[in-house]
Amino acid sequence: MSQAVALPARSFSTYDASRSDEFIRFIATLLRHSFFLADSFSSSALGTMQTLDALVLEHVQSPASSKLRTLVPSIGRIHMPLVCAEAFATYDLKYRLTARTQVPPSEEEVRHLLNLAQVFASAVGLEFISFDGDDTLYADGRNFAQSDASKLARYIVALLKNGVAVALVTAAGYKGAPEKYEARLDGLLKHFTAEALPAEALAKFYVVGGECNYLFECECVGEERSAEDGRGTVRLREVVGSWCDEHAAWADEDVGRVLDTAEASLRATAAELSLRCRVIRKERAVGIIAGGSEAKSRVPEGSGSRRMRRELLDEAALRLQTAVGQLGLNVPFCCFNGGADVWCDIGNKAFGIGALQQRLHVVPSQCLHVGDQFSTSIGNDFAARMASPTLWVAGPKETQHVLKQLLERRGVSTKTSEPKAWPPSTKRFLVFSDPLKLEDGDRVEGEPSPGKRDGQGEGDGVPDWVRG
Ligand code: IMP
Ligand code: MG
């Protein structure tokens, strides 16, 4: 008789190193079939996109029982109908998908198509747009530089002048330190100054830090005050006191237990994986960053003093998620691989965006969140999907591109003398009154992007983008 084999204490979860998204893969597969099998790829692809529009509409109306949920079990909330067929036709005009004979539409192109379909659906009714920071507004670990992002800054200014509220919603948590966000947004705030953005437009710009923990508003002060403290005239001011209703429900003791457990998990993982890292603990977050030469001498056989590998960061983030999840406390958290570091933050971007929606009296279908970390597991923009339609970009250049599309679709010229790429839409999609509701057990999942920084600390060893 054979003996029962004990299962190893390893995870049997669906960790997917490819970072591909099931909905995108589903659409790419449909298009691939048409590409290779249909007589006319043009008409069959358009038919596929029209069916997709119908599937999305049905899912918006009945998310729990939709056909799309059966076909794509991991599909999340979709806040409004999309216009995939129109987006396909527009994209095809530029990139000639249907004229190709060798290369079917890729998953990357499907991501672009979905972004365009969302831009077309959102443009006219848009009231509020939020942006992730790292790898969305500026390169990972860098600042919004005036030199290389002047177009992006111009488009953001155009949105503000056009009456759209704009927010940076970032994991970076710098409590009581608006000057740190000012440094990261330097080029953008300088552009606000150069454009002499009127007070009512400045008042529509916000920063939410630590996922949902800190809120900053934008104001313009006189030259004298600016000269006194060396900060610019356009600056940020922290909103003190409770601005997010949910905060009150998160008991300090539970917050402490989440962070203690997270810290213990990170330390244990670092020891087991011989990570040459250092632990950073803040009021509402705990994380590990590359540990530099000090960690190298402390952990002679390990890795990561300058940069930790993606696989090791993923492992640490997944262990962290499991450890904190097992506590079962009534405190939402967000465990993620930030590309060069791993964090457990209290709360998540859905709460940050949801609280701003309440402040601005808007519903999800009037909003957009632009970010870079959306695919399954351990990314921190994924939670934003619960509160808002999203655009998934791969870096600041793509952010610039989607904003151009958005402005053109709103009928706002991005260059005064240039003809518009697409006629402005006159269609206004139904605004669904769907206020944010987070259910018990809602957790963050998402995708980290490959890190680009070397992670080596300077000065006290903690880089500027992390110090809190
Ligand atoms: P985001 O992409 O703008 O959400 O920023 C994520 C990055 O912010 C992380 O990968 C970290 O490098 C950095 N960061 C700095 N402080 C914190 C913090 O307190 N929690 C999480 N991430 C932080
Ligand atoms: Mg990011």
Side-chain angles (χ1 to χ4, degrees), residues 404-427:
K404 186 165 188 271
Q405 293 170 331
L406 188 65
L407 285 163
E408 284 170 348
R409 188 69 171 189
R410 274 177 84 81
V412 179
S413 175
T414 50
K415 258 190 203 160
T416 33
S417 55
E418 214 180 47
K420 295 179 181 70
W422 298 298
S425 173
T426 48
K427 240 184 192 166

PDB file of all heavy atoms in Angstrom, residues 404-427:
ATOM      1  N   LYS A 404      -3.966  63.390 -24.152  1.00  0.00           N
ATOM      2  CA  LYS A 404      -4.172  64.065 -25.445  1.00  0.00           C
ATOM      3  C   LYS A 404      -5.468  63.553 -26.079  1.00  0.00           C
ATOM      4  O   LYS A 404      -6.303  64.326 -26.534  1.00  0.00           O
ATOM      5  CB  LYS A 404      -2.961  63.783 -26.353  1.00  0.00           C
ATOM      6  CG  LYS A 404      -2.979  64.527 -27.659  1.00  0.00           C
ATOM      7  CD  LYS A 404      -1.594  64.460 -28.289  1.00  0.00           C
ATOM      8  CE  LYS A 404      -1.476  65.350 -29.501  1.00  0.00           C
ATOM      9  NZ  LYS A 404      -1.859  64.716 -30.749  1.00  0.00           N
ATOM     10  N   GLN A 405      -5.630  62.228 -26.070  1.00  0.00           N
ATOM     11  CA  GLN A 405      -6.853  61.642 -26.631  1.00  0.00           C
ATOM     12  C   GLN A 405      -8.099  62.159 -25.895  1.00  0.00           C
ATOM     13  O   GLN A 405      -9.112  62.487 -26.512  1.00  0.00           O
ATOM     14  CB  GLN A 405      -6.792  60.114 -26.526  1.00  0.00           C
ATOM     15  CG  GLN A 405      -5.716  59.484 -27.407  1.00  0.00           C
ATOM     16  CD  GLN A 405      -5.519  58.000 -27.109  1.00  0.00           C
ATOM     17  OE1 GLN A 405      -5.740  57.530 -25.991  1.00  0.00           O
ATOM     18  NE2 GLN A 405      -5.092  57.247 -28.108  1.00  0.00           N
ATOM     19  N   LEU A 406      -7.960  62.236 -24.571  1.00  0.00           N
ATOM     20  CA  LEU A 406      -9.086  62.662 -23.731  1.00  0.00           C
ATOM     21  C   LEU A 406      -9.482  64.105 -24.038  1.00  0.00           C
ATOM     22  O   LEU A 406     -10.661  64.427 -24.218  1.00  0.00           O
ATOM     23  CB  LEU A 406      -8.663  62.518 -22.269  1.00  0.00           C
ATOM     24  CG  LEU A 406      -9.700  62.718 -21.189  1.00  0.00           C
ATOM     25  CD1 LEU A 406     -10.774  61.646 -21.269  1.00  0.00           C
ATOM     26  CD2 LEU A 406      -9.037  62.654 -19.808  1.00  0.00           C
ATOM     27  N   LEU A 407      -8.472  64.977 -24.108  1.00  0.00           N
ATOM     28  CA  LEU A 407      -8.755  66.394 -24.366  1.00  0.00           C
ATOM     29  C   LEU A 407      -9.367  66.572 -25.747  1.00  0.00           C
ATOM     30  O   LEU A 407     -10.329  67.325 -25.923  1.00  0.00           O
ATOM     31  CB  LEU A 407      -7.463  67.214 -24.249  1.00  0.00           C
ATOM     32  CG  LEU A 407      -6.991  67.438 -22.807  1.00  0.00           C
ATOM     33  CD1 LEU A 407      -5.524  67.868 -22.781  1.00  0.00           C
ATOM     34  CD2 LEU A 407      -7.868  68.478 -22.104  1.00  0.00           C
ATOM     35  N   GLU A 408      -8.828  65.876 -26.719  1.00  0.00           N
ATOM     36  CA  GLU A 408      -9.356  66.005 -28.076  1.00  0.00           C
ATOM     37  C   GLU A 408     -10.803  65.537 -28.126  1.00  0.00           C
ATOM     38  O   GLU A 408     -11.659  66.148 -28.764  1.00  0.00           O
ATOM     39  CB  GLU A 408      -8.488  65.215 -29.063  1.00  0.00           C
ATOM     40  CG  GLU A 408      -7.182  65.960 -29.349  1.00  0.00           C
ATOM     41  CD  GLU A 408      -6.172  65.143 -30.131  1.00  0.00           C
ATOM     42  OE1 GLU A 408      -6.377  63.924 -30.269  1.00  0.00           O
ATOM     43  OE2 GLU A 408      -5.169  65.729 -30.579  1.00  0.00           O
ATOM     44  N   ARG A 409     -11.075  64.467 -27.423  1.00  0.00           N
ATOM     45  CA  ARG A 409     -12.436  63.942 -27.398  1.00  0.00           C
ATOM     46  C   ARG A 409     -13.398  64.885 -26.670  1.00  0.00           C
ATOM     47  O   ARG A 409     -14.591  64.912 -26.928  1.00  0.00           O
ATOM     48  CB  ARG A 409     -12.418  62.566 -26.721  1.00  0.00           C
ATOM     49  CG  ARG A 409     -13.719  61.812 -26.791  1.00  0.00           C
ATOM     50  CD  ARG A 409     -14.043  61.365 -28.208  1.00  0.00           C
ATOM     51  NE  ARG A 409     -15.175  60.463 -28.228  1.00  0.00           N
ATOM     52  CZ  ARG A 409     -15.575  59.781 -29.273  1.00  0.00           C
ATOM     53  NH1 ARG A 409     -14.944  59.879 -30.425  1.00  0.00           N
ATOM     54  NH2 ARG A 409     -16.608  58.973 -29.194  1.00  0.00           N
ATOM     55  N   ARG A 410     -12.864  65.658 -25.728  1.00  0.00           N
ATOM     56  CA  ARG A 410     -13.693  66.655 -25.035  1.00  0.00           C
ATOM     57  C   ARG A 410     -13.861  67.916 -25.874  1.00  0.00           C
ATOM     58  O   ARG A 410     -14.553  68.851 -25.471  1.00  0.00           O
ATOM     59  CB  ARG A 410     -13.044  67.069 -23.701  1.00  0.00           C
ATOM     60  CG  ARG A 410     -13.393  66.178 -22.538  1.00  0.00           C
ATOM     61  CD  ARG A 410     -12.655  66.618 -21.298  1.00  0.00           C
ATOM     62  NE  ARG A 410     -13.304  67.691 -20.558  1.00  0.00           N
ATOM     63  CZ  ARG A 410     -14.304  67.527 -19.704  1.00  0.00           C
ATOM     64  NH1 ARG A 410     -14.789  66.315 -19.505  1.00  0.00           N
ATOM     65  NH2 ARG A 410     -14.829  68.551 -19.045  1.00  0.00           N
ATOM     66  N   GLY A 411     -13.134  67.950 -26.978  1.00  0.00           N
ATOM     67  CA  GLY A 411     -13.221  69.136 -27.833  1.00  0.00           C
ATOM     68  C   GLY A 411     -12.288  70.238 -27.379  1.00  0.00           C
ATOM     69  O   GLY A 411     -12.424  71.389 -27.776  1.00  0.00           O
ATOM     70  N   VAL A 412     -11.325  69.905 -26.505  1.00  0.00           N
ATOM     71  CA  VAL A 412     -10.349  70.900 -26.057  1.00  0.00           C
ATOM     72  C   VAL A 412      -9.102  70.725 -26.906  1.00  0.00           C
ATOM     73  O   VAL A 412      -8.518  69.643 -26.929  1.00  0.00           O
ATOM     74  CB  VAL A 412      -9.968  70.682 -24.561  1.00  0.00           C
ATOM     75  CG1 VAL A 412      -8.930  71.698 -24.111  1.00  0.00           C
ATOM     76  CG2 VAL A 412     -11.204  70.738 -23.697  1.00  0.00           C
ATOM     77  N   SER A 413      -8.711  71.754 -27.576  1.00  0.00           N
ATOM     78  CA  SER A 413      -7.554  71.635 -28.457  1.00  0.00           C
ATOM     79  C   SER A 413      -6.282  71.494 -27.627  1.00  0.00           C
ATOM     80  O   SER A 413      -6.079  72.198 -26.645  1.00  0.00           O
ATOM     81  CB  SER A 413      -7.465  72.869 -29.346  1.00  0.00           C
ATOM     82  OG  SER A 413      -6.295  72.786 -30.109  1.00  0.00           O
ATOM     83  N   THR A 414      -5.416  70.566 -28.037  1.00  0.00           N
ATOM     84  CA  THR A 414      -4.154  70.396 -27.313  1.00  0.00           C
ATOM     85  C   THR A 414      -3.078  71.281 -27.908  1.00  0.00           C
ATOM     86  O   THR A 414      -2.068  71.541 -27.301  1.00  0.00           O
ATOM     87  CB  THR A 414      -3.702  68.925 -27.356  1.00  0.00           C
ATOM     88  OG1 THR A 414      -3.745  68.484 -28.711  1.00  0.00           O
ATOM     89  CG2 THR A 414      -4.591  68.061 -26.500  1.00  0.00           C
ATOM     90  N   LYS A 415      -3.302  71.699 -29.136  1.00  0.00           N
ATOM     91  CA  LYS A 415      -2.408  72.675 -29.775  1.00  0.00           C
ATOM     92  C   LYS A 415      -3.317  73.587 -30.537  1.00  0.00           C
ATOM     93  O   LYS A 415      -4.114  73.135 -31.353  1.00  0.00           O
ATOM     94  CB  LYS A 415      -1.473  71.958 -30.753  1.00  0.00           C
ATOM     95  CG  LYS A 415      -0.089  71.759 -30.219  1.00  0.00           C
ATOM     96  CD  LYS A 415       0.820  71.287 -31.328  1.00  0.00           C
ATOM     97  CE  LYS A 415       2.009  70.560 -30.729  1.00  0.00           C
ATOM     98  NZ  LYS A 415       2.653  69.697 -31.687  1.00  0.00           N
ATOM     99  N   THR A 416      -3.189  74.855 -30.324  1.00  0.00           N
ATOM    100  CA  THR A 416      -4.187  75.757 -30.872  1.00  0.00           C
ATOM    101  C   THR A 416      -4.382  75.626 -32.379  1.00  0.00           C
ATOM    102  O   THR A 416      -5.489  75.599 -32.859  1.00  0.00           O
ATOM    103  CB  THR A 416      -3.837  77.218 -30.510  1.00  0.00           C
ATOM    104  OG1 THR A 416      -2.418  77.319 -30.490  1.00  0.00           O
ATOM    105  CG2 THR A 416      -4.432  77.607 -29.193  1.00  0.00           C
ATOM    106  N   SER A 417      -3.282  75.472 -33.133  1.00  0.00           N
ATOM    107  CA  SER A 417      -3.446  75.521 -34.590  1.00  0.00           C
ATOM    108  C   SER A 417      -3.622  74.131 -35.228  1.00  0.00           C
ATOM    109  O   SER A 417      -3.877  74.034 -36.413  1.00  0.00           O
ATOM    110  CB  SER A 417      -2.232  76.206 -35.203  1.00  0.00           C
ATOM    111  OG  SER A 417      -1.074  75.534 -34.778  1.00  0.00           O
ATOM    112  N   GLU A 418      -3.486  73.085 -34.439  1.00  0.00           N
ATOM    113  CA  GLU A 418      -3.509  71.742 -35.022  1.00  0.00           C
ATOM    114  C   GLU A 418      -4.932  71.217 -35.180  1.00  0.00           C
ATOM    115  O   GLU A 418      -5.757  71.400 -34.281  1.00  0.00           O
ATOM    116  CB  GLU A 418      -2.737  70.790 -34.095  1.00  0.00           C
ATOM    117  CG  GLU A 418      -2.007  69.704 -34.822  1.00  0.00           C
ATOM    118  CD  GLU A 418      -1.272  68.816 -33.827  1.00  0.00           C
ATOM    119  OE1 GLU A 418      -1.885  68.410 -32.819  1.00  0.00           O
ATOM    120  OE2 GLU A 418      -0.103  68.523 -34.059  1.00  0.00           O
ATOM    121  N   PRO A 419      -5.240  70.536 -36.325  1.00  0.00           N
ATOM    122  CA  PRO A 419      -6.576  69.949 -36.411  1.00  0.00           C
ATOM    123  C   PRO A 419      -6.731  68.806 -35.408  1.00  0.00           C
ATOM    124  O   PRO A 419      -5.760  68.149 -35.067  1.00  0.00           O
ATOM    125  CB  PRO A 419      -6.621  69.405 -37.852  1.00  0.00           C
ATOM    126  CG  PRO A 419      -5.206  69.290 -38.276  1.00  0.00           C
ATOM    127  CD  PRO A 419      -4.408  70.275 -37.484  1.00  0.00           C
ATOM    128  N   LYS A 420      -7.931  68.591 -34.936  1.00  0.00           N
ATOM    129  CA  LYS A 420      -8.164  67.547 -33.938  1.00  0.00           C
ATOM    130  C   LYS A 420      -8.117  66.161 -34.573  1.00  0.00           C
ATOM    131  O   LYS A 420      -8.544  65.990 -35.707  1.00  0.00           O
ATOM    132  CB  LYS A 420      -9.521  67.755 -33.274  1.00  0.00           C
ATOM    133  CG  LYS A 420      -9.570  69.026 -32.479  1.00  0.00           C
ATOM    134  CD  LYS A 420     -10.952  69.204 -31.865  1.00  0.00           C
ATOM    135  CE  LYS A 420     -11.003  70.500 -31.099  1.00  0.00           C
ATOM    136  NZ  LYS A 420     -10.977  71.655 -32.007  1.00  0.00           N
ATOM    137  N   ALA A 421      -7.596  65.207 -33.837  1.00  0.00           N
ATOM    138  CA  ALA A 421      -7.489  63.854 -34.372  1.00  0.00           C
ATOM    139  C   ALA A 421      -8.851  63.190 -34.497  1.00  0.00           C
ATOM    140  O   ALA A 421      -9.112  62.450 -35.424  1.00  0.00           O
ATOM    141  CB  ALA A 421      -6.591  63.026 -33.478  1.00  0.00           C
ATOM    142  N   TRP A 422      -9.726  63.435 -33.538  1.00  0.00           N
ATOM    143  CA  TRP A 422     -11.057  62.830 -33.578  1.00  0.00           C
ATOM    144  C   TRP A 422     -12.104  63.897 -33.342  1.00  0.00           C
ATOM    145  O   TRP A 422     -11.889  64.818 -32.573  1.00  0.00           O
ATOM    146  CB  TRP A 422     -11.191  61.756 -32.487  1.00  0.00           C
ATOM    147  CG  TRP A 422     -10.238  60.663 -32.671  1.00  0.00           C
ATOM    148  CD1 TRP A 422     -10.176  59.820 -33.742  1.00  0.00           C
ATOM    149  CD2 TRP A 422      -9.176  60.295 -31.795  1.00  0.00           C
ATOM    150  NE1 TRP A 422      -9.133  58.947 -33.574  1.00  0.00           N
ATOM    151  CE2 TRP A 422      -8.508  59.215 -32.388  1.00  0.00           C
ATOM    152  CE3 TRP A 422      -8.736  60.766 -30.578  1.00  0.00           C
ATOM    153  CZ2 TRP A 422      -7.420  58.602 -31.814  1.00  0.00           C
ATOM    154  CZ3 TRP A 422      -7.654  60.157 -29.985  1.00  0.00           C
ATOM    155  CH2 TRP A 422      -7.009  59.086 -30.607  1.00  0.00           C
ATOM    156  N   PRO A 423     -13.245  63.755 -33.984  1.00  0.00           N
ATOM    157  CA  PRO A 423     -14.287  64.742 -33.731  1.00  0.00           C
ATOM    158  C   PRO A 423     -14.749  64.623 -32.287  1.00  0.00           C
ATOM    159  O   PRO A 423     -14.846  63.511 -31.764  1.00  0.00           O
ATOM    160  CB  PRO A 423     -15.407  64.315 -34.699  1.00  0.00           C
ATOM    161  CG  PRO A 423     -15.121  62.893 -35.015  1.00  0.00           C
ATOM    162  CD  PRO A 423     -13.654  62.692 -34.890  1.00  0.00           C
ATOM    163  N   PRO A 424     -15.020  65.737 -31.636  1.00  0.00           N
ATOM    164  CA  PRO A 424     -15.507  65.643 -30.260  1.00  0.00           C
ATOM    165  C   PRO A 424     -16.846  64.924 -30.225  1.00  0.00           C
ATOM    166  O   PRO A 424     -17.653  65.082 -31.139  1.00  0.00           O
ATOM    167  CB  PRO A 424     -15.655  67.095 -29.823  1.00  0.00           C
ATOM    168  CG  PRO A 424     -15.472  67.922 -31.030  1.00  0.00           C
ATOM    169  CD  PRO A 424     -14.880  67.105 -32.118  1.00  0.00           C
ATOM    170  N   SER A 425     -17.035  64.113 -29.215  1.00  0.00           N
ATOM    171  CA  SER A 425     -18.279  63.357 -29.125  1.00  0.00           C
ATOM    172  C   SER A 425     -19.399  64.247 -28.616  1.00  0.00           C
ATOM    173  O   SER A 425     -19.176  65.141 -27.819  1.00  0.00           O
ATOM    174  CB  SER A 425     -18.078  62.190 -28.168  1.00  0.00           C
ATOM    175  OG  SER A 425     -19.304  61.568 -27.956  1.00  0.00           O
ATOM    176  N   THR A 426     -20.591  63.983 -29.097  1.00  0.00           N
ATOM    177  CA  THR A 426     -21.733  64.715 -28.560  1.00  0.00           C
ATOM    178  C   THR A 426     -22.531  63.795 -27.647  1.00  0.00           C
ATOM    179  O   THR A 426     -23.477  64.196 -27.004  1.00  0.00           O
ATOM    180  CB  THR A 426     -22.664  65.167 -29.706  1.00  0.00           C
ATOM    181  OG1 THR A 426     -22.888  64.040 -30.547  1.00  0.00           O
ATOM    182  CG2 THR A 426     -22.054  66.294 -30.492  1.00  0.00           C
ATOM    183  N   LYS A 427     -22.108  62.546 -27.600  1.00  0.00           N
ATOM    184  CA  LYS A 427     -22.838  61.541 -26.827  1.00  0.00           C
ATOM    185  C   LYS A 427     -22.471  61.657 -25.354  1.00  0.00           C
ATOM    186  O   LYS A 427     -21.312  61.779 -25.006  1.00  0.00           O
ATOM    187  CB  LYS A 427     -22.387  60.167 -27.288  1.00  0.00           C
ATOM    188  CG  LYS A 427     -23.500  59.313 -27.839  1.00  0.00           C
ATOM    189  CD  LYS A 427     -22.888  57.993 -28.147  1.00  0.00           C
ATOM    190  CE  LYS A 427     -23.748  57.103 -28.965  1.00  0.00           C
ATOM    191  NZ  LYS A 427     -22.978  56.003 -29.503  1.00  0.00           N
TER     192      LYS A 427
END
